[in-house]
Amino acid sequence: MKLREILDLPSLAGAQLVAGKGGLDRDVLWSHVVDMPDPAAWVRPGFMLLVSGYSWPKEADAQSKQITGLADAGLAAVGLAVPKYVDHFSDAARGQADRLDLPLLEIPWEMPFARIMEELHRSVMAEPYKIIERSENIHRALTRAAARNASLDDLAKSLCSLIGRSVTFEDPGGKLLAHCSVDGAHDSVRQATLEHAQSPPQMMGMLDSSGTMRHIRASEKPLRIPAMPKLGAGARVVCPIRIGSELVGLVWILEGNSPLSELDHRAAEHAALVAAIHIAHQRELASVEARLGYASFLSLLESDSAAKPVTEERVRLLGFDPRGRYRVGIVVVPEDLPLGREAVLRRDRIAARVRDALKQLGVEQLVTVNLNHVPFLLPAHKPVDPISSSLGDPSLSIVFGQVHEGAAGARTSYREALSLLFYRHRDPVCFYEDLLVPRVIMGDASARETFLADLFAPLRSRKSGPQLTQALLALARSGFRFRETAATLAIHPNTLRYRLERATEALGVDLDDADVRFRLQLASRLLDLENRTW
């Protein structure tokens, strides 16, 4: 047991720790009472020595020498009964004990050593059984997590509750896979990791430049990483997640106020093993899905509501960034349904070309197939031309939804792209936003709502948004006649001018632009037809 745990025993409730606080995490194996001038020869490392003070040295030099000898013997602590023979440990003894991190306890004379030894020995002997019981609990909890095919988030929560420390699971590049926190236990590095779903570049750079990452990659066991104050990183333990010889992830455990025990290390190893099994299983599923068309990716797109956590995690392992901004594209294969064998082969060849094009762009190949369509995900910052040019077939066309964020955004973009499939007068490559106005004119209800939302959305979040929107619509209804608009709204022209300036600034438009005027007039007519406001 640790000395700090021993101090919680009832028999030591009145004891005072007067020196050597740096040794509170020393292991206590046993206790012994020795009352002779030189007790060092009668104790062993890890013992807590109890003395009555009868033979304790009187001179300061002799006391310092005594403390040094006891520290060299590897004692866990020294307990002195006061004040029968000795009132207190002397300043010299306390000073030397502080330098050597040897804890000194002053125990009230009334407390029998026999009671202290009985409680201490009982606790020390019970500790192995507690460890075995806790080890069994850890084993059962993590094994259950593996048996029920829990997600990495579930595994992180299990490990977190078992060891009482904040935990993150990351890939070898520092990308966050799962996490769980204890009472908001964070340091600057962990906080940044949770905010950006990625370990900070400074942290990764420090691990590389110091050679620590090389040791982590070579290790089979958990490693303790000392605190890095310059980065705001506290001490932590990292355990590699391996599939065979390949490093596939890391379990990071924030150390907190006290070092992790050997049992905590074993729990981290067990969790890393379960995580390796989980990742290997997900890889196998991903391999099957790659052959069958990435079923999880398709289910994420076609879901009417939020996808199940297992589905989202599987797509995340395929490379989907839940915080990324994407647009969904659909390659339309001109084949009649149901597809025959040759049509299926053609569709699959087209899907392979799209995957190759995405790979050339340096992004994850999130591609699926559905009937005569090949949906795929394109990050917002990547160009469209390489995809269309890679197809090499003028009979093919591609429709794109708008750019949105995250899984819900991908589903929205997919629905937008699907809505373009029924629009006959489209170009070989067309975008939802470009066809919005024609589809509004043709009476498409969903396009009408999107058109109005896109036009006025920046104003809706403003406190004065309704006033600014009203000013724009009134101006459009008047044929952009300024004084007539002011009279209609019954406001001073300067007030109207101020509102229009704020509105155009928020929307980023110019009222002298003919296209802007057309869109505002179209919006006003749509709202008038439905007799509603926006």
Side-chain angles (χ1 to χ4, degrees), residues 37 51 53 179 268 298 304 334 355 438 455 457 530:
V51 295
H179 69 91
L298 183 60
D304 292 332
R355 289 191 189 97
L455 186 59
E530 298 179 7

Side-chain angles (χ1 to χ4, degrees), residues 270-479:
H270 198 152
L273 175 61
V274 174
I277 295 170
H278 177 82
I279 292 172
H281 178 60
Q282 296 300 324
R283 281 187 171 186
E284 179 60 27
L285 288 176
S287 175
V288 171
E289 287 171 352
R291 296 193 294 271
L292 298 178
Y294 284 115
S296 288
F297 175 45
L298 183 60
S299 66
L300 179 75
L301 295 180
E302 292 191 333
S303 174
D304 292 332
S305 57
K308 293 180 180 179
V310 172
T311 299
E312 291 203 359
E313 180 184 305
R314 195 174 300 166
V315 176
R316 202 160 62 235
L317 289 172
L318 292 174
F320 177 76
D321 180 2
R323 299 186 183 182
R325 291 175 57 78
Y326 299 92
R327 68 164 76 240
V328 172
I330 301 176
V331 180
V332 184
V333 184
E335 296 283 355
D336 294 331
L337 298 175
L339 298 180
R341 180 177 181 277
E342 292 301 321
V344 169
L345 292 175
R346 182 191 181 196
R347 181 198 64 186
D348 290 348
R349 285 195 298 270
I350 292 168
R353 289 180 207 157
V354 174
R355 289 191 189 97
D356 289 341
L358 291 172
K359 186 176 182 180
Q360 290 297 320
L361 287 173
V363 299
E364 298 296 338
Q365 298 93 65
L366 291 170
V367 183
T368 186
V369 293
N370 184 27
L371 302 177
N372 58 347
H373 301 151
V374 180
F376 62 93
L377 212 57
L378 184 68
H381 63 284
K382 293 297 181 179
V384 169
D385 292 345
I387 306 294
S388 57
S389 61
S390 71
L391 299 178
D393 187 340
S395 69
L396 301 175
S397 61
I398 310 178
V399 294
F400 285 97
Q402 296 185 101
V403 172
H404 297 283
E405 181 177 336
R411 289 190 286 272
T412 299
S413 185
Y414 181 59
R415 288 192 291 270
E416 290 172 348
L418 285 175
S419 71
L420 300 182
L421 297 176
F422 305 101
Y423 183 73
R424 294 181 180 179
H425 307 290
R426 64 172 189 260
D427 295 326
V429 177
C430 64
F431 298 87
Y432 184 83
E433 53 267 38
D434 293 341
L435 292 179
L436 205 51
V437 172
R439 291 171 57 232
V440 169
I441 295 172
M442 293 175 66
D444 187 325
S446 65
R448 182 170 61 247
E449 292 303 314
T450 302
F451 170 75
L452 292 171
D454 287 352
L455 186 59
F456 296 117
L459 298 180
R460 302 197 76 172
S461 60
R462 291 174 173 255
K463 186 177 180 180
S464 58
Q467 281 186 337
L468 304 183
T469 304
Q470 181 189 39
L472 286 171
L473 291 171
L475 185 67
R477 290 186 180 103
S478 72

Side-chain angles (χ1 to χ4, degrees), residues 34-40 49 51-70 78 80 85-94 104:
V34 182
D35 259 323
M36 58 179 60
D38 185 14
L49 174 63
V51 295
S52 68
Y54 181 79
S55 300
W56 194 253
K58 306 298 184 200
E59 297 78 15
D61 289 345
Q63 290 177 15
S64 295
K65 184 177 179 181
Q66 181 89 298
I67 294 296
T68 301
L70 295 175
V78 178
L80 172 66
Y85 298 112
V86 179
D87 289 338
H88 298 285
F89 281 110
S90 67
D91 292 341
R94 290 198 298 268
L104 299 184

Side-chain angles (χ1 to χ4, degrees), residues 228-243:
M228 292 178 271
K230 290 184 178 179
L231 297 181
R236 59 228 311 122
V237 168
V238 58
C239 185
I241 303 173
R242 296 185 179 280
I243 299 177

